[in-house]
Amino acid sequence: ADIISTVEFNHTGELLATGDKGGRVVIFQQEIENKNQPLFRSEYNVYSTFQSHEPEFDYLKSLEIEEKINKIRWLPQKNAAQFLLSTNDKTIKLWKISERDKRPEGYNLKEEDGRYKDPNTITSLRVPVLIPMDLMVEASPRRVFANAHTYHINSISVNSDNETYLSADDLRINLWHLEITDRSFNIVDIKPTNMEELTEVITAAEFHPHQCNTFVYSSSKGTIRLCDMRTSALCDKHSKLFEEPEDPSNRSFFSEIISSISDVKFSHSGRYMMTRDYLSVKVWDLNMENRPVETYQVHEYLRSKLCSLYENDCIFDKFECCWNGNDSVVMTGSYNNFFRMFDRGHRRDITLEASRENSKPMQVLKPRKVSAGGKRKKDEISVDSLDFNKKILHTAWHPQDNIIAVATTNNLYIFQDKVN
Amino acid sequence: RDSELGRTRMGTGSHCTEIQDTVISPEKAEEAKLKARYPNLGNKPGGSDLLRKRLQKGQKYFDSGDYNMAKAKIKNKQLPTAAPEKTEITGDHIPTPQDLPQRKPSLVASKLAG
């Protein structure tokens, strides 16, 4: 139940939210007191914990609805409170997280402990005053967006208009207004009339960071479709189709499975988007549909292990990916608690490990190397000794600073740039 | 189309070599391994079956009662068993009908029953 299922920084990076398999959300807050000191180290401490979703039972299908939090997305801050959307397979909830640091004292009709006074004993009136108290962080559900998805929700994305958001399941994408819970518009529907003809499903969807009319969705066949909501109410016809042509002679049983896109993320600039398939990360220029502009191999050595990875289901693992604040570096996870970063400008990449056994706190991480071939150098790890149960599926990068959050199965690691 | 043994160019592998007569891409080699282990594997791997299994994710229960029982089992690791006091009755006093365990219905119906 403590398995982390999603990680997300808010828009300033001050808050970091994690969702887990047990339906809980834990929010960490950055300690920013000494930010301008030369030896400043960010610390994230628990700020709020609440139960977002509970397990439910679908009576019609006799299926359990898992409480696992699939995604969390923060709303940009508008007032003193913070808002986030959290979703499980079927229901999206808007949570308000607010601080309380004052309480009223000196009621006329109530005792200090809350018991009501006998009105006949009151002889004078006073004005209650607000006195400081220990900070209390409260989370309350403000909206529940339910019953709009037949299939399992894989993505939510807040629009740049700050009024609407989309939710995507395997076959459909819905558009919601943040204030309205009893209605949502269907904007993409790829369900075939005859389910026997089903060939692909939606795997991820996201709104463009600046253009409120544009969104993309990725498929299990390795394609990405960009849609413009101005063209029609139902965006079944895409405006752009991004697909890298495949050499048919290379096609194997695994080709389609490993081409399935597990995550799609726009760059902060809005000019590029990144997709993650099983073995690679691809950066696409929105102006070029026929192939990606950059391809990064995450763990190419797994190509000769696809048979066993199919048998143990690892081939279906859904890795996420993320951009750093200025879109110069992309990051994604791998197995054995390894995660990879690719520096786009300098054409450098690095493999690091998130593990308590192999590195001490405050210690600079040592780069790792996996040896694919026969000759294994000292300090290299052979492919066969990789632990496929230790997968890093969820990573997040602070929107401005070089602080990253990496989730292993049960633990959250926060790393930052080495300070001189 | 099936057996790609023979002249095959290495695919997207990072170690590209000259075209050789018996070279197969690592992916195709893995595919051959899989087909050897599971000869009945369909030819449409990404097709309907796999996808429909994916759409059907989630544990199926017989009904809501079954679901609630399963949930209760997880919460209290012990099953609610018959009251242990009943085993102490023997020898201490003459049992009354309430003390006796429920008689399970016979598997074979008595010939005397209608």
Side-chain angles (χ1 to χ4, degrees):
Chain A
D2 282 324
I3 295 170
I4 299 172
S5 50
T6 185
V7 183
E8 186 82 356
F9 279 100
N10 76 336
H11 294 267
T12 61
E14 189 202 345
L15 298 175
L16 176 64
T18 61
D20 69 24
K21 195 159 175 266
R24 272 180 307 267
V25 171
V26 180
I27 302 176
F28 299 87
Q29 184 186 42
Q30 188 181 25
E31 186 202 285
I32 49 172
E33 266 174 30
N34 303 312
K35 198 158 190 187
N36 295 318
Q37 306 276 356
L39 292 177
F40 169 71
R41 282 193 196 290
S42 297
E43 262 202 31
Y44 279 81
N45 303 307
V46 177
Y47 177 69
S48 173
T49 305
F50 57 92
Q51 187 75 32
S52 171
H53 287 70
E54 296 276 4
E56 284 175 68
F57 189 67
D58 181 339
Y59 294 92
L60 212 53
K61 296 182 193 162
S62 289
L63 284 173
E64 178 178 29
I65 300 171
E66 276 190 306
E67 67 275 34
K68 171 166 80 87
I69 308 294
N70 293 333
K71 285 277 158 32
I72 289 174
R73 289 288 182 264
W74 290 91
L75 267 56
Q77 193 174 12
K78 277 202 273 203
N79 52 38
Q82 299 277 359
F83 288 86
L84 61 78
L85 286 170
S86 72
T87 186
N88 69 347
D89 282 338
K90 297 286 183 180
T91 306
I92 307 129
K93 293 189 187 180
L94 177 69
W95 287 88
K96 176 179 178 182
I97 297 106
S98 47
E99 292 185 355
R100 193 194 289 266
D101 60 359
K102 293 185 262 290
R103 65 179 174 85
E105 201 180 68
Y107 282 108
N108 290 291
L109 298 172
K110 278 200 281 193
E111 303 279 6
E112 286 305 317
D113 58 9
R115 276 180 306 141
Y116 280 97
K117 283 185 183 166
D118 178 357
N120 298 319
T121 62
I122 298 168
T123 53
S124 61
L125 287 177
R126 55 185 174 170
V127 178
V129 291
L130 291 173
I131 58 161
M133 63 180 246
D134 285 336
L135 179 68
M136 206 166 75
V137 182
E138 301 168 324
S140 57
R142 305 302 289 178
R143 307 267 187 278
V144 177
F145 304 92
N147 302 322
H149 286 279
T150 310
Y151 302 98
H152 298 111
I153 299 173
N154 52 57
S155 313
I156 46 174
S157 178
V158 184
N159 202 348
S160 53
D161 68 7
N162 231 329
E163 285 186 347
T164 57
Y165 75 94
L166 63 76
S167 58
D169 67 31
D170 292 313
L171 296 177
R172 298 191 178 103
I173 302 179
N174 293 329
L175 181 71
W176 302 83
H177 191 285
L178 285 165
E179 301 288 331
I180 300 168
T181 58
D182 63 355
R183 222 170 316 169
S184 86
F185 289 102
N186 176 241
I187 52 177
V188 172
D189 188 339
I190 65 167
K191 180 169 190 253
T193 359
N194 182 3
M195 283 299 270
E196 307 275 319
E197 289 159 29
L198 182 67
T199 53
E200 67 182 325
V201 294
I202 296 169
T203 52
E206 192 177 62
F207 265 120
H208 190 277
H210 316 307
Q211 293 164 22
C212 57
N213 51 285
T214 305
F215 67 92
V216 293
Y217 68 92
S218 58
S219 84
S220 52
K221 274 186 155 174
T223 63
I224 308 103
R225 286 173 177 79
L226 184 143
C227 302
D228 186 336
M229 295 196 292
R230 296 170 299 188
T231 55
S232 64
L234 188 60
C235 297
D236 276 0
K237 255 173 56 182
H238 54 262
S239 297
K240 292 196 184 192
L241 174 66
F242 297 84
E243 188 173 12
E244 183 166 27
E246 195 200 355
D247 184 354
S249 65
N250 283 331
R251 199 158 174 81
S252 77
F253 175 83
F254 304 110
S255 300
E256 194 174 295
I257 302 172
I258 62 171
S259 72
S260 175
I261 292 171
S262 49
D263 194 15
V264 65
K265 292 260 172 49
F266 278 105
S267 64
H268 292 93
S269 64
R271 164 96 191 263
Y272 299 96
M273 68 178 175
M274 162 168 57
T275 57
R276 174 69 155 99
D277 52 70
Y278 191 61
L279 297 178
S280 67
V281 163
K282 294 180 182 170
V283 175
W284 304 76
D285 184 327
L286 292 187
N287 299 314
M288 187 159 78
E289 296 166 64
N290 58 3
R291 59 179 173 81
V293 288
E294 292 150 41
T295 302
Y296 301 103
Q297 302 300 339
V298 181
H299 36 219
E300 180 65 17
Y301 46 78
L302 294 183
R303 201 179 286 271
S304 50
K305 301 282 169 202
L306 291 177
C307 181
S308 13
L309 292 168
Y310 178 86
E311 289 178 302
N312 63 16
D313 272 355
C314 282
I315 206 175
F316 300 106
D317 284 338
K318 299 190 180 69
F319 291 95
E320 290 171 11
C321 53
C322 60
W323 299 84
N324 73 339
N326 61 15
D327 300 334
S328 60
V329 182
V330 297
M331 172 166 72
T332 190
S334 178
Y335 294 104
N336 209 66
N337 282 344
F338 288 170
F339 58 99
R340 303 264 281 137
M341 287 193 219
F342 302 93
D343 185 331
R344 300 171 64 208
H346 299 109
R347 307 211 156 274
R348 277 189 319 222
D349 63 88
I350 192 168
T351 305
L352 297 170
E353 184 179 0
S355 150
R356 268 192 290 225
E357 291 94 44
N358 295 330
S359 60
K360 293 190 278 263
M362 305 305 183
Q363 189 185 53
V364 174
L365 292 175
K366 210 176 91 166
R368 304 284 180 216
K369 191 118 175 34
V370 177
S371 71
K375 292 190 194 138
R376 186 174 75 89
K377 297 196 198 124
K378 178 182 164 235
D379 278 354
E380 280 187 0
I381 296 118
S382 82
V383 183
D384 295 309
S385 54
L386 292 175
D387 188 342
F388 290 97
N389 291 316
K390 293 189 178 161
K391 33 193 124 182
I392 291 179
L393 302 173
H394 313 286
T395 59
W397 204 305
H398 189 285
Q400 278 115 37
D401 303 332
N402 279 343
I403 302 169
I404 57 174
V406 174
T408 59
T409 310
N410 297 109
N411 296 304
L412 182 71
Y413 291 78
I414 297 180
F415 300 109
Q416 65 171 84
D417 244 1
K418 188 177 87 158
V419 177
N420 298 327
Chain B
R1 193 179 106 98
D2 288 344
S3 164
E4 296 293 64
L5 279 166
R7 315 192 78 218
T8 310
R9 198 182 289 277
M10 283 286 214
T12 46
S14 46
H15 38 280
C16 260
T17 57
E18 297 293 318
I19 299 171
Q20 290 165 31
D21 271 290
T22 52
V23 160
I24 321 171
S25 75
E27 226 178 280
K28 294 263 169 71
E30 291 294 299
E31 181 181 24
K33 229 192 271 178
L34 193 70
K35 290 240 163 97
R37 285 187 208 175
Y38 307 100
N40 297 325
L41 211 52
N43 280 325
K44 262 182 39 113
S48 297
D49 295 335
L50 208 64
L51 288 178
R52 267 184 295 167
K53 200 174 91 161
R54 180 200 177 123
L55 295 182
Q56 184 73 354
K57 149 193 155 196
Q59 188 155 7
K60 199 142 179 125
Y61 291 89
F62 181 71
D63 61 11
S64 61
D66 183 23
Y67 170 69
N68 288 317
M69 286 283 288
K71 246 180 47 167
K73 261 185 218 169
I74 297 167
K75 282 211 170 122
N76 333 304
K77 304 273 165 138
Q78 297 163 333
L79 277 171
T81 53
E85 309 91 65
K86 297 212 168 143
T87 57
E88 293 162 6
I89 292 167
T90 336
D92 281 349
H93 69 267
I94 297 166
T96 57
Q98 291 97 294
D99 296 329
L100 295 171
Q102 281 276 332
R103 185 180 170 276
K104 286 191 191 155
S106 307
L107 289 168
V108 180
S110 164
K111 291 195 176 88
L112 296 172

